[in-house]
C-alpha cells in the first residue's frame, strides 16, 4: 500500500502542473492507501499546507476551490493550444478538439467551494 500511495501522491502533485492528470483523485487514493499502511504519511498529506485543503474540500463538500478551477482552465487551454499547434494532421486536431470538449465539459461541472477560513474579510488569502 505504501508503493501505491506514493505513486498516487506523485501523480497527484504532477497533476497540479499537468492539466490532463487529475490532482484530487490521486490525492484521495494516496490518502486512502496511507490510512491503511502509514499513519505518518496519512497525517502529513492531510496537514500539508497545499495538499491537505484539496483533500479536505473534496471529502467535505465534493468540490474544488475556485483557485484550483481557474488554474485548471488556464492549464487546460495552454496544453490544448500547444497540442493543437504540434499536431500535423487535421484529423488528429479534430480528435483533440473532441477530447478537449469532453474534458472541459466534465471539468466545468465540478462544483466550487471556497473554504471560509482561508479568506480574510478583505478577500486576501492568508
Amino acid at each position: 500500500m505504501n508503493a501505491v500511495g506514493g505513486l498516487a501522491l506523485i501523480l497527484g502533485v504532477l497533476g497540479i502542473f499537468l492539466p490532463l492528470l487529475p490532482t484530487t483523485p490521486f490525492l484521495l487514493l494516496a490518502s486512502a492507501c496511507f490510512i491503511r499502511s502509514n499513519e505518518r504519511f496519512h497525517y502529513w498529506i492531510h496537514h500539508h499546507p497545499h495538499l491537505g485543503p484539496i483533500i479536505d474540500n473534496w471529502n467535505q463538500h465534493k468540490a474544488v476551490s475556485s483557485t484550483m478551477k481557474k488554474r485548471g482552465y488556464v492549464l487546460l487551454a495552454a496544453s490544448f493550444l500547444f497540442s493543437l499547434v504540434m499536431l500535423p494532421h487535421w484529423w488528429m486536431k479534430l480528435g483533440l478538439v473532441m477530447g478537449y470538449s469532453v474534458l472541459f465539459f466534465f471539468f466545468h461541472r465540478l462544483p466550487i467551494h471556497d473554504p471560509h477560513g482561508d479568506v480574510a474579510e478583505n478577500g486576501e488569502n492568508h
Side-chain angles (χ1 to χ4, degrees):
M1 282 296 207
N2 272 339
V4 174
L7 179 61
L9 178 61
I10 290 168
L11 291 173
V13 171
L14 287 174
I16 294 171
F17 306 102
L18 301 174
L20 297 179
L21 202 59
T23 300
T24 304
F26 285 118
L27 293 180
L28 293 174
L29 176 60
S31 175
C33 289
F34 291 147
I35 199 169
R36 291 174 179 81
S37 65
N38 194 323
E39 286 183 31
R40 190 178 67 168
F41 279 157
H42 183 259
Y43 179 86
W44 175 81
I45 197 171
H46 278 270
H47 291 86
H48 189 277
H50 299 291
L51 305 178
I54 295 170
I55 295 170
D56 292 339
N57 199 17
W58 185 261
N59 284 339
Q60 294 173 10
H61 306 286
K62 301 293 184 238
V64 296
S65 70
S66 60
T67 302
M68 288 293 290
K69 199 154 187 181
K70 288 174 191 172
R71 186 178 303 146
Y73 282 133
V74 168
L75 291 173
L76 277 170
S79 68
F80 170 74
L81 291 174
F82 176 77
S83 299
L84 195 63
V85 169
M86 297 304 293
L87 288 175
H89 303 292
W90 68 268
W91 54 271
M92 289 179 170
K93 292 179 183 194
L94 179 64
L96 180 67
V97 168
M98 291 185 335
Y100 176 78
S101 299
V102 170
L103 180 62
F104 183 85
F105 172 76
F106 284 107
F107 184 75
H108 183 70
R109 289 179 42 115
L110 286 175
I112 294 175
H113 178 267
D114 288 316
H116 299 294
D118 293 342
V119 179
E121 288 181 23
N122 61 3
E124 295 177 2
N125 289 338
H126 286 174

